[in-house]
Each structure stands twice: as structure tokens, then as C-alpha cells.
Amino acid sequence: MIPALIWGAGTSISAQQDKSADKEKQGKEKVETTEPVKERKLHISDYLSVGGFINTQYEFSHQDLGNHDFTENSVIQVRRARLDLKGSITPKIDFRLQGDLAISPKLLDAYVRIKFCRYINLQVGQYKIPFSLENPYGPMDLELADNAQVISALSGYSDVSGVSGFANGREIGAMIDGTLLQFERNGEKYPLLSYAVGVFGGNGINVKKDNMKKDIAGRIDIHPFLKDLVLSGSAYWGRYGMSEVDRDGLRLRCAGGAEYKDQHLTLRGEYVWGATDITAVGTDNTPYVQRFNTQGFYLIGSYWFRFGWGSKSNVQQKLRPVLRFDYYERDLEDLNGASLHYSTGIDWWPERHLQFRLQYTVKQKQAQRELGHSLLAMLSVKF
């Protein structure tokens, strides 16, 4: 009896040892046959995105000059053809390179931004100056095909001083920006106070500064505990070279406005004032410096309607009617120099890569009793 028990116990122990050995062997075979995990290779799309858009435009304009005299223009053109490269070198460093190939190729944006924290970021290169509410808008995001008159004249598009011509609101320089205060609502954080201030060359894009002084631009935005509403104030101070009189001329601008913008409704109004030195010629043909003041304001409203092609379609389209009143005085001492534009338009996106705009403007000049008219149609492709 006892020998039988001893034999059975020994057999059981031996079987358990065999099973353990088999498991160990299987484990070793599994480890040996498992291929090493390959690291994922980085692709250029991981840190670089390529985009852009093309604007093809037709415009007809008619302006009565009085005494049965008038001017007319009918122009079709590729207004813009932009290639836009954006990327991130690290989570804290990104960059942008944008050029326009229409008419005459030119570099628009070329900058590097370092994001230290939400309080402060550093941006160096060529980009839009922190001035006015409307200037930061790109052509595809702006409600109408053109900026308001005073924005074009005082925000670096077609400056009244003659410099920064066709600079598209941009300068070369260094800027810091950030959010100083935040508020929380329904578990989400929104900016309460944000700022941007920079030092710039002052002579527009793709050029060197030709005087020793630098221009300063700054903007402050306040969101009064409502994320969709912003109150904004900005200023620009600078000097530019006046070769005719061998001295620097003043360019001083101030702007203030408000904007309400949610998913559907956009309401924006802004007043801009500026003082500018220009070269004038006296009766003896001697050039001298003349300073004049410029002002203007605009009010604009639009509303997005979103709908699909059909009840079961996933293709969404957007339609936005727009109204704008635009007042501009190039020289406040010219009592008949005011220019008023009344614009209405339709901004239609049949799908997210295709845009069609139709815009009609009535142009009234205080010095002339007759009205001018402008009809503009634009077809754009975004990629």
C-alpha cells in the first residue's frame, strides 16, 4: 500500500515538472519567434500641410462724372493664386510660408512662431500687423471681396502715404502676443484679455527699412465674459523715408471697434483715424512736407445658412447674405472729399472647397451728385 502511494506521488510530481518544462519551452519559443516592434517612420505630412486658393474675378464698374461724362471698366482676372505651407517643428515651434503667384509673384507670409506659454508667444518674420479688427481676416474668410475703404488706406493695403502698396496688411518684424486673463463657463475656458505688440520695418513687404527708426503696432482685445463678443483697440506709430525732402514722414493710426460672431451671425463695426505726412509741391515748385488727417468707419452684418443638397446628403453647403455701409474721408480738411459705399453680396459655398461670390456696390462721392456702381462676381477654389 505504502509503495503504491509513494509511486503515485512521484508520478504526479514528475508530470507537473514535465508540464512546467513544456510551458517554459513554449515561452522561450514564443520569445524567440516574436519579431521586434518596428518604430513608425515620420512622414512629411506629420509636420507640414500644403494648401492655398485661387480667386477668379469679373468686375464691371460705372462712374458718372457729371456733364454727361462717365468712366466704365470691365475686367476679368485671376486676382489671387496663393500657395500656403504651414508646419510644426515641435509642439512649441511652428512656421508659415505663403506666396501669391497671380499678376506678379510675391512673398506674403514667412515667419516662425515660438509658443512659450499662453501668456507669451514670439513671432518673427513677415506677417499681418496687429492693427484693426478686419486686417487679420484672409480673403476667403472676409465677408465681401474687398476690405472697407479706411482699412485699405490705413492698415497697409494701399496706404495713403504711398508706402506699403499692395502689402496686404503685412510688415516685416518681431511680435509678442498672448492671453493674460481667462474666464470659465460650463467647464470651458475662454480668453478675457489678449494682446499683441510688435516692432516692424514700416516700408511694406519684401523690402528693407530705409531709415533708422522702427514702427510699433499693438492691439488689445477684451471679451466681456462672452466668448462671441470682442471689444478691440489698436494703434500704429511709425515713420517712413521721404526721398523728395530727405527726411522721415509720420504715419500714426488708431482704431477701435467691436465684433459679435457666432456660428451664424456676424456683426462688426470699426472706426479708424490716421495722421500722415506726404510730400507736397509749393508754388515755386519746391517740395515740402504736408500733414493731413484721415478717418473712416464701416458697419457690416452677415448670417450663415447651412443646408445639404438633399435630405439624405452628407454634402453640406453654406449661404451668407452680407450688408455693409462704408464711410471714408481721405483728408478731413477737404469738405467735399467724403466717399460712401453701400454694398450687398452673397457668399455661397456649394461644398467646402468651392466658393462663389456676387457683390453689388453703390458708390457716392460728396463732391459729385452722381452715383457710381460696381458689380463683382468671383469664383474661388480652395485646396
Side-chain angles (χ1 to χ4, degrees), residues 47 87-95 113-115:
Y47 60 88
S88 297
I89 302 173
T90 71
K92 293 289 186 178
I93 303 175
D94 58 22
F95 64 91
R113 180 173 58 178
I114 304 174
K115 298 176 284 187

Side-chain angles (χ1 to χ4, degrees), residues 255-275:
E259 180 181 57
Y260 177 86
K261 186 176 183 178
D262 59 23
Q263 292 183 350
H264 298 279
L265 178 65
T266 296
L267 297 172
R268 185 170 67 254
E270 191 168 17
Y271 170 81
V272 187
W273 173 90

